[in-house]
Amino acid sequence: MAAFTGALTTTLPTAPLLHSDSISSSSSPSSAFSKVCKRTASLSCSSSTSSTASTSSSSTGQPNGCDDCTRNTKSTQKFSYSRASPSVRWPHLKLTDSYPSPHTQFTPPLTTHVVQDSPDSDSEGKEEEDLNLGSVGSLDTNDETQQVLGRHSKTKAKKMTKLALKRAKDWRERVKLFTDRILGLKPDEFVADVLDDRKVQMTPTDFCFVVKWVGQSSWQRALEVYEWLNLRHWYSPNARMLATILAVLGKASQEALAVEIFTRAEPGIGNTVQVYNAMMGVYARNGRFNKVQELLNLMRERGCEPDLVSLNTLINARLRSGAMVPNLAIDLLNEVRRSGLRPDIITYNTLISGCSRESNLEEAVKVYNDMEAHNCQPDLWTYNAMISVYGRCGESSEAERLFKELESKGFFPDAVTYNSLLYAFARELDIEKVRDIGEDMMKMGFGKDEMTYNTIIHMYGKQGQHDLAFQLYRDMKMLGRTPDAVTYTVLIDSLGKANKITEAANVMSEMLDSGVKPTLRTYSALMCAYAKAGKQVEAQETFDCMVKSGIRPDHLAYSVILDIFLKVNETKKAITLYQEMLHDGFKLDHALYGFMLRVLGRENKLEVIERVIRDMEKVGGMNPQVISSILVKGECYDHAAKMLRLAITSGYELDRESLLSIVSSYSSCGRHSEACELLEFLREHAPGSNQLITEALVVIQCKAHRFDAALVEYSNTRGFHSFSRSSTMYEILIQGCEENELFGEASQVYSDMRLYGVEPSEHLYQIMVLIYCKMGFPETAHLLIDQAEMKGIFFDNVNIYVNVIEVYGKLKLWQKAESLVGSLRQRCKAVDRKVWNALIQAYAASGCYERARVIFNTMMRDGPSPTIDSVNGLLQALIADGRLDELYVLIQELQDMGLKISKSSILLMLEAFAREGNIFEVKKIYHGMKAAGYFPNMDCFRIMIKLLCRGKRVRDVEAMVYEMEEAGFKPDLSIWNSMLKLYAGIKDFKKTVKVYQQIQEAVLQPDDDTYNTLIIMYCRDCRPEEGLSLMQEMRRQGLEPKLDTYKSLISAFGKQKLLDQAEELFEELRSNGCKLDRSFYHTMMKMFRNSGNHAKAEMLFTMMKEAGIEPNFATMHLLMVSYGSSGQPQEAEKVLDNLKVTGLDLDTLPYSSVIGAYLKNGDYNIGIQKLNEMKEVGLEPDHRIWTCFIRAASLSQHKSEAIILLNALRDAGFDLPIRLVTEKPESLILEVDHCLEKLEPLEDNAAFNFVNALEDLLWAYELRATASWVFQLAVKRGIYNNDVFRVADKDWAADFRKLSAGSALVGLTLWLDQMQDASLEGYPESPKSVVLITGTSEYNMVSLNSTLKACLWEMGSPFLPCKTRSGLLVAKAHSLRMWLKDSPFCLDLELKDAPALPESNSMQLIDGCFLRRGLVPAFKEITERLGLVRPKKFARLALLSDEKREKVIQSDIEGRKEKLEKMKENDNPRRVSRIKKLRKRKYVRPSTLSNTKQIVSGQKALK
């Protein structure tokens, strides 16, 4: 029996309490609590005066998941009988508490409701009955040798013979008759009355069954039957009767009575295996393994050999006595076999049931496999026990598999089976599966019992579905099921953890009202609830009530109240309770010791701390090392250091964590010297402590915020592998790296940590995941998560996963983010909303709208419900995918789903359309947002204003700024900068300066963007000096201008011929070491080229090479153009020759520069010669060469020169220009269109330049109809913009910028012709003013602005230069329409070809103006003598003859002089100023004024 003698005898640990949820109650917690206390007190008083012994039985198993609750029975009145009273029969035992009076009133016994303590408790109870009484029925008793009951009477009928009586088949009726009569007795009636009135003949075996059946309902009546039979001596004492009454008393937990009866039994009767088995069963029920073992030894000493029932009982006692050690079940089975017996099904069922109580799946599986290996077929109890243990261990699938297996093997599941399976799924909170099992259970005819209800109530309590839990509680009472202590305890505990204290107290009241006595677990649940809610007084009173009711506190109850005393700083009460706790044999756990010491330390109770330390050492049996670690947790660092020294000198190993904590405490208090002293002591007395000292130094420095020194110390020693496997130092270092944003160093420390085999903690895993996310390494962070999960570490902080998914999204690695979420879905039943939103955002970053929509639909279907972030993620997915047109469809779908579109979603759409520059949609969304009641915020105004500024919507911008100020917002610097760029872009320089003044008035500090914009504005306004002064101010503010700003200043100075300033800026950049690109040198070269300083242009060429910038073709081309424009084609040819020497593959660009230089210089023959040379080297003329020759032909003085140039092109293989001039041009339309089609895809705007040159040629030689259809072909091909001119409803405008002079004149004539038709027909309607944009730049040294003004001035048009912007001509629409209708110049605007080419060019280039040759003398005379005159006056003067024009001009000059003299004579400043003011006033109609007054008065009334 070595396996049994070595078994543990300690009791099982108490499981934690369980939860349900609340019921509604209007009573306050205090009133409810007082009611509970009163009821508890009354119950305790009544129980103290009761005459009965306790009939409640308890178990260490779990009540269908409620493993913390014990069983309880209602208190009942008991009968009184002199021989049945233990105080009468055994006076020396002094059992008056159980039977205080021999004349207690007898009442009918109430049905005692017992809650089964585990899903398999029914089967376990049956097994115990078989263990203890199974052999009683099979006991070979010789009824023939026993006396017949009663005496023979001659007056009565002859009795049945013993054999006949034994063979009678109506024994059950006989037994039932007596049982019913006995149980039906009133309290004042006695069993003797029934037994004396024998109406049927009974055998001793029948009386055994009577005792057994009566004992199932009332052990007192069964004992009375047994005692009466003994008193009357109606039969000889036998083992069966003795075993029967022992079994009855054992089930009733009346161990003392059973021991007394067994002790006083005659040796001849009691010395049988059945009696020993029955007595061992009494001990086994209470887990008294030692007593069972002693009885077994006694049995063997008396020569009674134990049978299988004896060993099964011993096994049951061992399993109930304490926790199972590994392989205990198999050792017990082997012990049975060593005894020469073969384990039967009861043996296996007992072992599996014990495993189920402790949730020991491993041992249960071993027993089950052993059973199958030894061909012992499982029965229903076996399956019930296995299903229970699988369910308790979270293996619901295996439990369900066994359930199906038992059905397939012909067993019919009972209520225990269903309850066990239901508990398995309830434990996993699988509501649907629990509901299905319950329905199947009802279909099979099993009603829901208390166990079923308790299980489901517990499940709902854990889920927080308190309403459902209490609905079940009410249904349970309605259906006649009586809630027991388990039910009430679960509800109270659930409410307590839900912080519903009032409702918990009300449940306790209901429990007392129903007559159910609270158990230890019930009181503990209520105390924990009060403690959690901070109601320390109520918790203490509950504890007092529990003690008064006679319930002895356990470790949990003591710990809760002690924790409360410590939290409210009632140290005296805490110390008293602590002493009581030790006296009762309970020890504090380490955490509570630490808390108590921390409180004592705060109150400086050093003597008490010393006493507690002695208790830990003597009572608790702790060694100095453990005590030191507890003292560290209690923040008693001085005592901890003392105990640490003692532990080291006593030979204990150094506790790393304790040392680091002590040293950290010293360091935080600035006690560095004491820390060093402790370290020196450890170095002397603790072998191998150098690594700890190093770690401690690192920790000290980190705590002292000397992080750099800590890193240095770590770096100096990490190469020697001198660190231990503690994670504390690494965690502190990594946390410091994170706080100081030293992510690379943190990664290195973590790598060292893993290299040395140190296992990270959960907190460190989280820190490293966040660090790698910040570093942009989500794959590494994901790997850490996988490693943590492989080690069983699962992060409760969902933000860890969200950060990884977000970084994946930013890097557009949505597939990996998807895999992370997939693993989360496999592990968790419900994925957090933040995770779904992060995945949607990851999809959105890559434009995966369909995938994001799938996640959104999943959230709508399965939960959690989408939020604003979910909706915004969908919108961002569409935006990132460029599907802005589908945004409105999505918004409509979301609204149909019942989702409200938030302001952030609207702003998201608005910003998306703003980025696309779609002003129409942005304005529509903006107005819709205001209509929906969302007022614009600062971001909205900023987006709107920036967009409108980019679109150059001046009026809209100004209106938006006004609306913004009305809403109470002030424009910030970014808005002002946008407005600066707007006004600078449209060259409204006055408003630009005004905006800058507003910035200064708003006391805003201009940034580099502000200054750069202003400087560029001054450059565009040809005021580079002011721009330079602003740059100097910008530098004084500590801001550095952009290189583009320098470039603009240099270019502006160059245009103003201020070469010194430009050159000074350029040299400043070079001297400051700025890396200038090629464009700077090109700008300077253009400037020197235009100024004719070609030497400096060549010098720049050398400087470029010195700066490491290799000149490219553009540079060479620029240099050659410079030479060509300066009239030095030979120098340009030298550059070309240098290019040839380099061996580079040359194209036609450098040749075109040289040829163009010769042609501009009038050296046509040399130009043709260079063309032939180019052909000789294998280069075919292309569009560049064609354009050079055609442009030169358009500027040639005579037709013959133009024909020579065009023939040269023909000889080179391109005859289209000469054919256009000499043949019928209408037949060449298709060829011209085909040529343009070929030129379109070529670079350098080949088609555009070609058409410009061709238009100049056709206009110059009066082929203007041909020029017209060529122009229209260019528009059709998209070479010219479609809206180069337009005549639409209230939109008459033209934009001829970048067109050549000939193209612009063609376009102007066509536009005037269309406007004339509209004026005559009245449609399309004209705007108030018509704008013609000419631009200010020159195209091939031709000013388009000057050319068009000269043409329009000659025609006497109403177009005038714009006063605010240069490069614009504006005409009032009414004047323009009148002029188009009445002017003789507009009688025939149709473009026609001359019947023959003129001998001379009809146009002449003079001072950048492409003029009609006949107008040149008049143009020179008028502009030189009168300056700029109005168009009509210019037209009249131009039409006059030279003599008349001379007279008119002279007369005009004299009239101006006379007018000036009169003004000087009549000079009156006041009168002049009054006239000016009157001129400035606007005329306002009276009706308009009255309407204005009405509007103003209406607005005041509304306010």
Side-chain angles (χ1 to χ4, degrees), residues 698-737:
V698 171
V699 171
I700 287 175
Q701 290 162 345
C702 288
K703 294 290 184 180
H705 303 290
R706 296 184 300 199
F707 190 70
D708 294 336
L711 276 180
V712 171
E713 182 70 29
Y714 172 78
S715 301
N716 291 337
T717 54
R718 71 184 179 91
F720 301 100
H721 303 279
S722 60
F723 293 116
S724 63
R725 296 191 175 184
S726 169
S727 62
T728 303
M729 182 197 68
Y730 294 104
E731 287 194 18
I732 292 175
L733 270 177
I734 291 173
Q735 286 177 356
C737 290

Side-chain angles (χ1 to χ4, degrees), residues 482-718:
T482 305
D484 56 11
V486 174
T487 311
Y488 289 111
T489 304
V490 167
L491 290 174
I492 291 171
D493 194 31
S494 169
L495 289 168
K497 291 191 176 178
N499 208 24
K500 296 186 177 182
I501 310 305
T502 304
E503 291 81 351
N506 290 337
V507 172
M508 176 68 91
S509 298
E510 289 187 26
M511 182 179 185
L512 298 174
D513 292 338
S514 63
V516 180
K517 183 179 179 180
T519 64
L520 174 62
R521 297 292 169 262
T522 313
Y523 283 111
S524 298
L526 191 58
M527 281 189 292
C528 289
Y530 282 131
K532 180 181 179 183
K535 297 182 179 297
Q536 291 87 359
V537 176
E538 289 82 352
Q540 295 175 33
E541 292 179 359
T542 304
F543 180 81
D544 295 338
C545 289
M546 179 184 70
V547 175
K548 288 178 183 179
S549 66
I551 298 177
R552 180 186 176 188
D554 63 353
H555 185 273
L556 174 62
Y558 273 124
S559 299
V560 170
I561 299 303
L562 182 59
D563 183 74
I564 289 174
F565 285 152
L566 293 173
K567 284 182 178 178
V568 298
N569 294 323
E570 293 187 5
T571 52
K572 291 183 179 179
K573 292 183 179 180
I575 294 170
T576 303
L577 187 67
Y578 162 70
Q579 293 172 348
E580 293 178 5
M581 191 174 179
L582 293 181
H583 181 266
D584 288 345
F586 296 107
K587 301 176 183 177
L588 275 68
D589 57 21
H590 292 184
L592 193 54
Y593 261 128
F595 183 37
M596 185 171 68
L597 289 169
R598 194 178 307 120
V599 174
L600 295 173
R602 284 200 299 265
E603 296 189 6
N604 201 25
K605 294 184 178 296
L606 301 179
E607 294 181 0
V608 181
I609 292 174
E610 294 287 349
R611 189 164 67 246
V612 171
I613 293 174
R614 288 195 297 271
D615 291 340
M616 286 191 287
E617 187 175 1
K618 296 179 180 179
V619 179
M622 301 180 188
N623 59 52
Q625 186 184 43
V626 175
I627 296 175
S628 175
S629 65
I630 294 175
L631 289 169
V632 166
K633 294 176 183 177
E635 298 178 1
C636 301
Y637 296 109
D638 291 335
H639 292 84
K642 182 179 178 181
M643 292 303 298
L644 184 62
R645 292 173 186 258
L646 179 60
I648 295 301
T649 55
S650 301
Y652 290 97
E653 292 185 2
L654 181 61
D655 188 343
R656 188 179 318 281
E657 304 300 330
S658 298
L659 172 63
L660 293 179
S661 299
I662 294 170
V663 172
S664 298
S665 171
Y666 285 159
S667 176
S668 61
C669 298
R671 300 164 63 182
H672 302 294
S673 59
E674 296 181 39
C676 294
E677 182 183 349
L678 177 62
L679 293 175
E680 290 297 331
F681 174 84
L682 293 176
R683 181 175 294 176
E684 294 177 5
H685 296 84
S689 61
N690 289 331
Q691 57 184 10
L692 287 180
I693 293 173
T694 304
E695 290 181 22
L697 286 174
V698 171
V699 171
I700 287 175
Q701 290 162 345
C702 288
K703 294 290 184 180
H705 303 290
R706 296 184 300 199
F707 190 70
D708 294 336
L711 276 180
V712 171
E713 182 70 29
Y714 172 78
S715 301
N716 291 337
T717 54
R718 71 184 179 91

Side-chain angles (χ1 to χ4, degrees), residues 378-394:
D379 59 4
L380 179 60
W381 294 334
T382 313
Y383 280 112
N384 286 349
M386 286 302 297
I387 291 173
S388 175
V389 72
Y390 275 123
R392 291 171 184 269
C393 297

Side-chain angles (χ1 to χ4, degrees), residues 295-309:
L295 201 57
L296 189 66
N297 295 332
L298 177 63
M299 180 179 176
R300 286 174 172 166
E301 289 175 2
R302 294 181 178 180
C304 186
E305 190 64 28
D307 61 0
L308 184 58
V309 175

Side-chain angles (χ1 to χ4, degrees), residues 330-348:
I330 299 301
D331 292 341
L332 292 174
L333 283 173
N334 293 333
E335 185 63 29
V336 172
R337 294 189 180 101
R338 282 194 293 269
S339 299
L341 299 173
R342 179 179 180 182
D344 62 354
I345 189 63
I346 295 177
T347 312
Y348 288 110

